[in-house]
Amino acid sequence: MDVVLSIQNSNKKYDKFALKNVSFSMNSGTIMGFIGRNGAGKTTTLKALLNYVHADSGTIKFFGEDFSDNEFLIKQKVGFVSGGVNYYPKKKLKTITEVTKRFYKKWDDGVYEAYLDRFHLDTEKNADELSEGMKVKYQLALALSHHAKLLIFDEPTSGLDPVSRDDLLDLFITLVEEEQVSILFSTHITTDLEKCASDITYIKNGEIIASTDKKSFLDAYRIVKGSLEQLTGAMSKKLISFKKHADGFCGLVSTENVPIDGDIEILPADLESIMIYIEKE
């Protein structure tokens, strides 16, 4: 597989937050979920990738080309979707499109019209008349109409109802299969990733703590359940974190620390559980 995106040792320091040596890479034909709690650095990282935020250091490559030397050409092949259409809210979609298409050499009116029809978009509407789901689909139509090969989404499903979210995730899978695009999207809604992501990159407090395929990420952890009597000092030291409840305790453990002595229930871990317990660490 070709590497479509590589970020190495990216740093960005603010007064109360910093990205610290952020590094990960992404292969073509994949859907990578970029996860972490709100404020972990997801949006800052995505904006740094496209120079909307100026990183203090680090290197970024798209399609094997250094971004700093080829920014204009690379942005011709990348679509960024932030979830809203907050620019020109009182302008009609057709007006926004006319402005946008001038920036792309490979703009394809035929593809654009096809996506308008597919997404049931009315270009006579103003941007602020669209639902949250339709705003995402409109931005997606713009990105695909200049034949973007990598789509970067910042919280695309946030604020969508369950049906709209499911529809959008189905679309992600279809785009990868039919259009041979790659998708990187940030989210704190881990159930979305269970459905469509092939890879996971996890950021916590501005640092990448894991970046791998989803199966390997899930296989690295197990859920542990037992009675309060079984929650000994030795046991708690093995757990990444745990929660007590009326009937006992439940915690997260690295698979390398299994088996655990005693009659303890060991279960597979899902993304939501992993995130909850890692953030309690």
Side-chain angles (χ1 to χ4, degrees), residues 125-143:
K125 285 189 174 182
N126 293 343
D128 62 0
E129 294 180 279
L130 300 181
S131 67
E132 293 304 310
M134 295 305 280
K135 288 177 181 177
V136 174
K137 288 183 177 180
Y138 173 63
Q139 288 196 87
L140 188 53
L142 294 179

Side-chain angles (χ1 to χ4, degrees), residues 11-270:
N11 292 272
K12 177 65 178 178
K13 186 173 178 59
Y14 295 99
D15 289 341
K16 297 182 179 180
F17 176 78
L19 293 181
K20 290 159 278 190
N21 295 315
V22 169
S23 300
F24 63 89
S25 61
M26 179 179 173
N27 291 326
S28 63
T30 58
I31 299 177
M32 176 177 280
F34 188 35
I35 65 173
R37 68 185 304 171
N38 289 338
K42 299 189 299 297
T43 296
T44 302
T45 299
L46 296 187
K47 288 184 176 180
L49 287 175
L50 296 170
N51 207 26
Y52 299 145
V53 165
H54 300 288
D56 299 327
S57 61
T59 58
I60 298 168
K61 291 184 178 182
F62 287 87
F63 315 106
E65 301 289 339
D66 192 280
F67 183 73
S68 61
D69 297 330
N70 302 277
E71 181 171 349
F72 177 78
L73 292 176
I74 286 171
K75 283 185 174 179
Q76 297 291 311
K77 297 189 287 184
V78 176
F80 180 70
V81 178
S82 61
V85 188
N86 300 318
Y87 47 91
Y88 306 134
K90 298 300 181 182
K91 295 291 186 180
K92 292 183 178 180
L93 298 189
K94 66 178 183 181
T95 303
I96 298 173
T97 300
E98 285 301 315
V99 173
T100 301
K101 65 190 289 187
R102 298 173 190 171
F103 293 95
Y104 297 101
K105 293 181 178 181
K106 292 187 177 181
W107 180 269
D108 190 324
D109 281 321
V111 171
Y112 176 66
E113 293 296 333
Y115 276 108
L116 290 182
D117 183 62
R118 181 174 183 171
F119 298 155
H120 308 292
L121 286 162
D122 180 0
T123 59
E124 292 296 327
K125 285 189 174 182
N126 293 343
D128 62 0
E129 294 180 279
L130 300 181
S131 67
E132 293 304 310
M134 295 305 280
K135 288 177 181 177
V136 174
K137 288 183 177 180
Y138 173 63
Q139 288 196 87
L140 188 53
L142 294 179
L144 293 168
S145 296
H146 62 83
H147 298 283
K149 288 301 179 183
L150 172 61
L151 300 175
I152 299 176
F153 294 86
D154 187 17
E155 301 280 2
T157 59
S158 181
L160 301 187
D161 63 77
V163 175
S164 296
R165 278 173 49 208
D166 190 66
D167 182 41
L168 188 62
L169 297 174
D170 282 340
L171 179 59
F172 284 178
I173 295 169
T174 300
L175 289 173
V176 171
E177 293 176 348
E178 295 183 1
E179 306 293 339
Q180 288 76 56
V181 303
S182 306
I183 296 174
L184 168 64
F185 77 102
S186 71
T187 185
H188 60 275
I189 306 173
T190 54
T191 51
D192 290 350
L193 305 179
E194 299 279 5
K195 178 172 183 178
C196 71
S198 54
D199 297 273
I200 300 293
T201 294
Y202 194 130
I203 188 168
K204 180 181 179 182
N205 297 328
E207 295 184 87
I208 301 298
I209 63 171
S211 187
T212 185
D213 64 276
K214 184 173 66 178
K215 183 179 185 304
S216 295
F217 182 77
L218 292 172
D219 285 347
Y221 301 97
R222 291 291 184 269
I223 296 295
V224 177
K225 292 183 177 181
S227 67
L228 291 176
E229 290 75 20
Q230 292 170 312
L231 186 61
T232 62
M235 171 70 73
S236 63
K237 287 180 180 179
K238 286 189 174 185
L239 301 177
I240 293 170
S241 69
F242 61 88
K243 294 190 294 183
K244 295 180 181 179
H245 51 79
D247 298 322
F249 77 95
C250 184
L252 184 72
V253 64
S254 295
T255 302
E256 62 188 20
N257 285 331
V258 175
I260 293 176
D261 295 336
D263 186 21
I264 298 291
E265 188 177 6
I266 308 293
L267 301 169
D270 57 27

